[in-house]
Amino acid sequence: MTTVYFIRHAKPDYNNHDDMSRELSNKGLQDRKLVTGFLLDKHIDIILSSPYKRAVDTIAGFAEFALRIIGTVSERKYFYY
């Protein structure tokens, strides 16, 4: 059986107005620890991420060996609110 985890980036710092390089806020950095804690003991073979800094930073704590950046991954392209 395959298990898929979908994780949205942690809270970004909106003081940075450049969407691509927007880093995580202090709250986002705290929440990243929760995400890492949840996923650290899971057997994860591959992690796909958008190239946005906040997305990569959210999963960086457990993704260093399995991470693949996918330039076309974006909820704006695939999901509608």
Side-chain angles (χ1 to χ4, degrees):
M1 176 187 295
T2 299
T3 302
V4 178
Y5 299 97
F6 288 92
I7 299 168
R8 189 154 184 348
H9 63 77
K11 185 173 178 152
D13 181 358
Y14 289 108
N15 291 318
N16 179 348
H17 299 289
D18 179 37
D19 197 36
M20 190 74 167
S21 68
R22 188 174 295 140
E23 57 278 318
L24 297 177
S25 66
N26 288 334
K27 171 77 167 117
L29 291 170
Q30 293 172 1
D31 290 345
R32 174 176 71 174
K33 293 177 186 176
L34 296 173
V35 171
T36 298
F38 176 77
L39 293 171
L40 201 54
D41 66 345
K42 310 293 187 278
H43 178 76
I44 297 176
D45 295 316
I46 188 169
I47 299 166
L48 304 176
S49 175
S50 77
Y52 289 86
K53 181 168 176 39
R54 62 189 175 272
V56 173
D57 287 352
T58 298
I59 53 152
F62 65 90
E64 63 187 62
F65 299 109
L67 178 61
R68 294 187 189 164
I69 306 293
I70 307 296
T72 58
V73 175
S74 170
E75 76 275 3
R76 293 180 186 148
K77 292 182 182 180
Y78 300 107
F79 301 103
Y80 301 98
Y81 299 97

